[in-house]
Amino acid sequence: MAKPLKSHYDVVVIGAGPGGLAAAISAKKTGADDVLMIDRDPELGGILLQCIHNGFGVETFKEDLPGPSYAQRFINEAQSVGIEYLLDAMVLDVTPGRKIYVSGARGGFRELQARAIVIAMGCRERTRAQIRIPGPRPAGVYTAGLAQRWVNVEGYMPGERFVILGSGDIGMIMARRLTFEGAKVERVLEVMPYLTGLSRNYVQCLMDFDIPLQLRHTVKRIIGNDRVEAVEAVQVDERWQSVPGTEEIIPCDTLLLSVGLIPENELSQKAGVVLDPVTNGPFVDDGFATNIPGVFAAGNVVHVYDLVDWVTQAGLTAGRRAAMFAKGSCNKKAVMVPTAAGRNVRYVVPHKLDPETLTQDAITLQMRVTQPMEEAVQVRITDGDTLIAKKRERYARPGEMVSLTLRGQEYDAVRNAKKLVVSVAPV
């Protein structure tokens, strides 16, 4: 039987996906007495429950698990350490003073007070309206994630003959999944001149099943009244303008959209959290603290990760720091050093860091590059002309995150730095 809700908690985690689960477990293990997770879904686990393909846990467990199995390990641990959870409940508002207003089947409308909050609401898919595809509005245009839920959880096939717009990971994974179910995937179109998802998904989900990928192509219009009958594809130039004479009608009954993910931060903004316009997630420090004291952020709500294992690591850090804040053991006088994106780097997370963290833990900076570099590259962290850290990678691609870890040996250099600029360039 569920425990009665309290009115005060040490740490409240909003979102019970991989980031939220990790944060809640970490907060509890760090010493927070009362930890509550809130999620609008009726089950713990978030998006992982519909991701029945393998590819989860290689970094965390050294095992290649399907999404539900990965989630279940954290659900079991959360229950074993005594974390409370409130499911099928919608958080309506969060204040800078860490009041949470929530409404749900259990308890109705409630006002909760938290010493610390971890926001872990994840991200959502871009829709047709956000990419402005012209044409009529027939049935048969869905996001790839919605189709994934229908096929893997609800048992519905959304169509028989598909075109997928966007080479994001969910789209490529669904191309394979739909093929398994007997559908015909005619084409994957990508407006960018390069793949936007993981290379492994391109190989395992498209190449292995002879599903063609066309770069620099998009959908010019959708054809059909009651139901999609075809799409008109077209090549685009470097400014995303249609190239006349390259139009092609592709018969299909379903168009899936895999055109990007947006961190879900409406609640963060209500709390006064400042967002990075590049990532659409909060500005955070190395403990994933936002600009609002006691409000931390974890997982895809900060920036869209490529692997769930990194979401888990971020959640563990955010939960630990949230518990420390709740217990009054955070370094509130930290002198932060900002980070910045340099050559070929689109953004860097965290946005600032406390050098004193390096006396106890490593700090990993994560970033995405602006363009593919298929030759060996060097990732560098510099302060002016001073090189602080570097590493070599075989290549760098926008669809795959790049990381570089600072350790105790860099403490003096980081402490004396004015700004840490991260760049990635061919060797």
Side-chain angles (χ1 to χ4, degrees):
M1 178 179 291
K3 295 180 180 178
L5 280 179
K6 301 171 185 174
S7 58
H8 290 68
Y9 286 88
D10 288 335
V11 178
V12 172
V13 180
I14 304 174
L21 282 164
I25 293 167
S26 180
K28 189 73 174 181
K29 287 186 170 180
T30 306
D33 294 324
D34 297 313
V35 179
L36 174 70
M37 275 191 297
I38 304 174
D39 200 284
R40 61 192 172 197
D41 281 345
E43 298 175 282
L44 299 171
I47 196 70
L48 287 172
L49 301 186
Q50 68 183 54
C51 300
I52 63 173
H53 55 280
N54 280 53
F56 303 90
V58 174
E59 299 292 335
T60 304
F61 298 116
K62 310 304 179 190
E63 296 181 54
D64 189 10
L65 301 170
S69 298
Y70 184 87
Q72 193 61 50
R73 295 195 181 192
F74 289 96
I75 293 170
N76 292 344
E77 187 171 4
Q79 293 172 334
S80 70
V81 298
I83 293 167
E84 295 180 47
Y85 44 88
L86 178 62
L87 301 176
D88 200 13
M90 182 69 74
V91 175
L92 304 175
D93 201 359
V94 178
T95 73
R98 300 185 297 282
K99 287 186 183 298
I100 299 167
Y101 298 93
V102 58
S103 180
R106 174 188 163 203
F109 178 80
R110 296 291 297 263
E111 175 184 324
L112 307 174
Q113 178 68 54
R115 294 181 185 276
I117 295 173
V118 180
I119 51 175
M121 294 84 71
C123 55
R124 61 171 176 264
E125 297 175 283
R126 291 183 191 278
T127 65
R128 175 182 177 177
Q130 291 164 317
I131 58 172
R132 301 178 180 177
I133 302 177
R137 305 184 67 81
V141 182
Y142 312 114
T143 63
L146 175 62
Q148 185 180 54
R149 178 168 182 86
W150 280 349
V151 175
N152 293 347
V153 178
E154 310 290 345
Y156 299 135
M157 276 293 285
E160 297 178 350
R161 196 173 181 183
F162 291 79
V163 169
I164 298 176
L165 178 59
S167 61
D169 291 312
I170 305 174
M172 291 194 287
I173 288 165
M174 281 310 296
R176 178 180 61 182
R177 183 77 181 96
L178 292 164
T179 302
F180 283 154
E181 293 296 331
K184 173 65 174 175
V185 179
E186 299 287 349
R187 203 84 53 90
V188 175
L189 306 173
E190 172 55 59
V191 73
M192 301 298 290
Y194 51 78
L195 191 74
T196 60
L198 293 171
S199 299
R200 76 180 191 193
N201 285 331
Y202 172 58
V203 173
Q204 297 172 1
C205 301
L206 300 189
M207 293 183 68
D208 286 355
F209 295 89
D210 295 324
I211 298 171
L213 167 67
Q214 281 185 298
L215 302 176
R216 283 195 185 282
H217 279 72
T218 191
V219 172
K220 185 175 181 180
R221 66 185 174 109
I222 296 169
I223 301 169
N225 292 317
D226 296 329
R227 176 80 196 195
V228 172
E229 298 172 4
V231 298
E232 182 177 359
V234 66
Q235 184 180 341
V236 298
D237 60 20
E238 63 278 0
R239 299 172 62 187
W240 294 4
Q241 298 300 307
S242 300
V243 177
T246 62
E247 294 85 356
E248 178 188 5
I249 303 297
I250 307 175
C252 61
D253 62 17
T254 308
L255 173 65
L256 292 191
L257 304 177
S258 180
V259 290
L261 302 168
I262 307 170
E264 197 162 321
N265 274 298
E266 285 76 9
L267 286 175
S268 313
Q269 291 178 293
K270 284 190 170 186
V273 171
V274 177
L275 304 185
D276 179 344
V278 177
T279 62
N280 291 314
F283 285 100
V284 293
D285 67 14
D286 58 280
F288 293 96
T290 71
N291 62 299
I292 301 299
V295 177
F296 298 77
N300 286 326
V301 79
V302 177
H303 65 124
V304 177
Y305 286 79
D306 57 353
L307 295 178
V308 73
D309 300 82
W310 308 140
V311 172
T312 295
Q313 291 303 316
L316 293 173
T317 299
R320 182 171 69 252
R321 294 296 185 88
M324 291 170 64
F325 184 92
K327 292 295 184 183
S329 58
C330 268
N331 178 14
K332 296 182 179 178
K333 297 181 179 179
V335 178
M336 295 287 178
V337 179
T339 65
R343 183 182 176 191
N344 295 324
V345 175
R346 184 164 166 255
Y347 69 81
V348 181
V349 171
H351 300 83
K352 57 184 179 180
L353 56 87
D354 177 5
E356 298 306 315
T357 301
L358 294 172
T359 62
Q360 301 179 39
D361 295 314
I363 301 174
T364 297
L365 276 61
Q366 295 175 311
M367 66 216 74
R368 288 188 186 266
V369 296
T370 57
Q371 59 183 333
M373 288 170 272
E374 298 298 336
E375 65 272 62
V377 299
Q378 191 175 68
V379 187
R380 296 164 57 94
I381 300 177
T382 56
D383 172 38
D385 295 330
T386 303
L387 176 64
I388 293 179
K390 65 179 181 180
K391 69 181 287 192
R392 185 185 177 103
E393 296 283 2
R394 291 188 295 125
Y395 58 81
R397 296 165 180 158
E400 302 178 19
M401 285 172 42
V402 178
S403 65
L404 179 54
T405 299
L406 293 168
R407 305 183 190 282
Q409 64 200 47
E410 281 89 36
Y411 169 71
D412 286 334
V414 172
R415 186 185 58 174
N416 294 321
K418 293 182 179 178
K419 181 164 63 176
L420 303 175
V421 178
V422 186
S423 60
V424 179
V427 175

